[in-house]
Amino acid sequence: MPGSFADLAEKVSPAVVNITTTSIVSQPTMGQRGPAFPEGSPFSDLFRDFGFPGGPGGPEGGPQQRRMPQRSNALGSGFVISADGYIVTNNHVIEGADQIEIEFYSGQTLPATVVGTDPNTDVALLKVESSDPIPFVSFGDSDSARVGDWVLALGNPLGQGFSASSGIVSARNRELSGTYDDYLQTDAAINRGNSGGPLFDLNGEVIGVNTAILSPNGGSIGIGFSMASNVVSQVVAQLQEFGETRRGWLGVMIQDVTPEMSEALGLSVSGGAMITDVPEGPARDAGLQTGDVITSFAGSEVEDTRGLVRRVAEAPAGEAVEVVVMRDGEPETLSVTLGRRETAQGGATGPDTSDEPTESDILGMSVTALTPEMAAELGAPRDARGLAITGVDAEGPAAEKGLAAGDIITEVNQQPVASVAELEARVEEAREAGRRSVLMLIRRAGEPLFVALSLEADEAAAEDMPAEDMPADDGAAEEAPAE
């Protein structure tokens, strides 16, 4: 435990800044001949009944509300990252500002211009001009931060000026609401006005940008969030070079691989990201397919979808990267030239026409071959192929996995199905192979989703059924009631 943070605070404070923004906002005001009353109040009704000019419902041409421009000020924090005056802060601190003024620890103030912003990570890069070099700090490695490490937060809380607070890293890899979120949670006091300020480790390096707090009253209760420096530094480098972000784009829809899905596919690896759809784009051009499990990207192991999204975004657009996928139980390496996410345009193609409808009960659900009319009702292309789920047994394996009437089954064990016979064949093949589950590709409201259904639960349910209730050998069953 450090005896004091004084030396650290003295070392890094000259690089921390207070930010004051000014914006012009319009405030409503009434014309001179009539006051304004809230809609629904007795006075509002009175003005409407008598048709006073300027009142609600008054004669056309009467004085109406005017919007008068007024100045609005806001406060935040930031930190200098280069001697020539580049400053990092939160996007929400300077968003919509007409003027930005930077106050340094020495008391000097300088106007700032916006170099670039990234609302996705809430990062903004500013620039000030100074004839003298400006004290600055460097980014550290946020991945090396451990829960329990000491941290120091500096900023401008509640407009009180330069202020320091200490605490520890309470948690890592927190996700709030953004696609690229990677927050360090800290109990160092962070309040309004601290936004955009730095979170330092004991080496004086920035490992986070203070961004948000969790609080029922707007004040610090010891749950603050700082965007990890490894995310921020990537964004800042792009803003500094291009004035905008240029994230890589792979062009796939993905979902996490569950243990049941891994077993159904016979995979020997854990983790990874399963491809649920491959629209027109870089991935399709490189040969990636629906059902592939991405296990490695650009030489690094893929643990889950969240990690893959971040890694793809950090990769340079326009460059080729190696992607390793598991396909039919075997690894395959593909080279993908990434597109740029900000300008990506995707497309989709529909499958062929469907067969005549038949219906059956299987794996705790009633299914029927998809017709063009049914496809249109379920929000799918009229030429879509697959099986529509018409009913679900509340105690069956399908219900356990959240399947519902209206879902469309398009693949089973990575093979297309367009008839009940094909579905039954895929299930039987899985049983003969000794697998405990089958992997289904479901379309729900147009969105793809892989679901692993247990075969053991289905077999146990069949064994428990009285003989007179057992379905016939051909799989025929009574039609499920409409819901």
Side-chain angles (χ1 to χ4, degrees):
M1 181 176 178
S4 171
F5 288 95
D7 290 341
L8 175 59
E10 185 177 353
K11 171 185 174 182
V12 298
S13 289
V16 181
V17 300
N18 295 339
I19 300 177
T20 302
T21 65
T22 302
S23 57
I24 306 300
V25 298
S26 296
Q27 296 291 342
T29 181
M30 281 298 295
Q32 296 180 352
R33 289 183 290 164
F37 298 109
E39 185 66 27
S41 72
F43 296 102
S44 175
D45 294 337
L46 177 65
F47 268 64
R48 180 182 294 106
D49 292 341
F50 286 90
F52 279 31
E60 293 186 6
Q64 301 296 323
Q65 284 190 345
R66 295 180 298 176
R67 304 190 71 84
M68 299 294 292
Q70 294 186 4
R71 287 185 176 273
S72 174
N73 294 324
L75 302 173
S77 306
F79 54 99
V80 185
I81 60 168
S82 66
D84 56 350
Y86 282 99
I87 296 171
V88 175
T89 186
N90 281 146
N91 176 60
H92 75 258
V93 169
I94 55 89
E95 189 172 20
D98 297 305
Q99 297 178 0
I100 303 173
E101 185 177 77
I102 306 298
E103 180 188 2
F104 294 89
Y105 191 68
S106 62
Q108 180 187 16
T109 60
L110 290 173
T113 57
V114 178
V115 176
T117 64
D118 179 36
N120 289 314
T121 54
D122 199 11
V123 171
L125 183 64
L126 311 178
K127 182 72 166 63
V128 295
E129 300 297 335
S130 173
S131 56
D132 299 320
I134 302 175
F136 65 95
V137 289
S138 302
F139 286 111
D141 181 9
S142 56
D143 288 343
S144 66
R146 299 182 302 164
V147 173
D149 281 350
W150 282 104
V151 288
L152 179 72
L154 270 69
N156 182 21
L158 304 175
Q160 295 301 302
F162 294 91
S163 177
S165 59
S166 65
I168 62 170
V169 175
S170 303
R172 292 174 34 121
N173 303 122
R174 290 298 199 201
E175 181 179 6
L176 299 182
S177 59
T179 303
Y180 311 107
D181 283 0
D182 185 11
Y183 286 100
L184 298 176
Q185 180 184 326
T186 178
D187 64 350
I190 296 175
N191 289 282
R192 294 177 180 175
N194 275 111
S195 290
L199 187 72
F200 291 102
D201 61 15
L202 293 184
N203 296 320
E205 294 182 323
V206 179
I207 60 170
V209 177
N210 302 324
T211 302
I213 60 174
L214 183 61
S215 171
N217 54 21
S220 173
I221 59 170
I223 305 179
F225 300 96
S226 300
M227 182 63 78
S229 60
N230 286 0
V231 175
V232 177
S233 59
Q234 293 272 354
V235 172
V236 167
Q238 293 188 353
L239 295 179
Q240 197 166 358
E241 182 176 0
F242 308 113
E244 60 184 358
T245 56
R246 297 187 178 182
R247 294 187 169 93
W249 178 60
L250 185 58
V252 293
M253 298 185 68
I254 52 177
Q255 72 177 77
D256 289 331
V257 179
T258 66
E260 287 179 320
M261 292 165 61
S262 182
E263 193 279 332
L265 291 172
L267 298 179
S268 58
V269 297
S270 60
M274 174 166 283
I275 299 176
T276 61
D277 197 13
V278 189
E280 187 174 334
R284 178 184 290 187
D285 294 341
L288 272 71
Q289 301 175 5
T290 298
D292 286 349
V293 177
I294 301 175
T295 59
S296 175
F297 178 85
S300 299
E301 183 179 347
V302 174
E303 296 182 358
D304 53 27
T305 56
R306 183 181 169 200
L308 177 60
V309 169
R310 279 187 50 205
R311 297 256 293 289
V312 172
E314 292 169 358
E319 294 191 8
V321 296
E322 283 194 351
V323 178
V324 179
V325 302
M326 293 296 293
R327 180 182 297 171
D328 298 327
E330 298 293 332
E332 186 168 339
T333 302
L334 302 169
S335 178
V336 183
T337 300
L338 300 179
R340 183 183 171 193
R341 185 178 182 87
E342 289 82 357
T343 58
Q345 296 283 338
T349 58
D352 299 330
T353 58
S354 61
D355 297 332
E356 292 297 319
T358 59
E359 189 164 12
S360 177
D361 276 1
I362 189 169
L363 299 178
M365 57 186 173
S366 300
V367 296
T368 185
L370 197 64
T371 66
E373 292 75 17
M374 294 170 61
E377 291 179 2
L378 297 175
R382 289 183 63 85
D383 59 355
R385 289 172 60 88
L387 298 170
I389 299 177
T390 58
V392 175
D393 180 358
E395 298 181 356
E400 182 181 347
K401 292 299 182 181
L403 297 185
D407 290 343
I408 300 174
I409 304 171
T410 60
E411 291 184 9
V412 177
N413 285 345
Q414 298 182 295
Q415 298 184 51
V417 292
S419 68
V420 172
E422 291 178 348
L423 171 61
E424 292 173 340
R426 301 292 87 76
V427 171
E428 188 60 31
E429 289 170 1
R431 286 197 174 109
E432 291 176 355
R435 292 181 177 174
R436 296 190 296 270
S437 56
V438 292
L439 187 69
M440 294 188 175
L441 178 58
I442 306 297
R443 294 274 175 175
R444 176 177 296 169
E447 296 296 325
L449 176 70
F450 275 106
V451 176
L453 292 189
S454 172
L455 298 178
E456 295 175 338
D458 186 55
E459 292 171 353
E463 291 173 359
D464 292 339
M465 290 177 62
E468 61 271 18
D469 292 335
M470 290 286 287
D473 292 339
D474 61 359
E478 295 181 2
E479 185 175 353
E483 296 181 355

